[in-house]
Amino acid sequence: MPRPAKQAPPPLQVDTARVVIAGIAVWAVALVVLLLLGDRVDRMWTWTCVAAIGLALLGLGVMKLQGQLGPRDRG
């Protein structure tokens, strides 16, 4: 099997807490919009937003317990 011509680039350093918090913010905005629309939308979407926010918060807690949050993420 031939060897690749280039080496694979190193993995990117990603601030995972910031990514999860940004996702929470997007779901929170969607939740506010859905609440403002009231009965014009199916309640399933409202509960989807609530579940997504809850699961993201749970994920942040798990990341903290596992020590995956860096020192700059913990403040």
Side-chain angles (χ1 to χ4, degrees):
M1 182 168 220
R3 298 181 83 170
K6 293 183 179 180
Q7 290 288 345
L12 294 174
Q13 296 296 322
V14 178
D15 186 359
T16 53
R18 189 174 293 174
V19 172
V20 173
I21 291 170
I24 291 172
V26 170
W27 282 110
V29 168
L31 178 62
V32 169
V33 169
L34 289 170
L35 290 174
L36 290 174
L37 289 175
D39 290 336
R40 290 179 275 183
V41 293
D42 189 1
R43 284 290 162 207
M44 177 191 68
W45 296 113
T46 303
W47 287 111
T48 300
C49 292
V50 170
I53 292 168
L55 287 172
L57 291 172
L58 180 67
L60 280 176
V62 169
M63 287 168 35
K64 184 175 183 178
L65 285 174
Q66 292 180 343
Q68 292 179 3
L69 299 180
R72 65 182 175 167
D73 296 335
R74 292 185 185 174

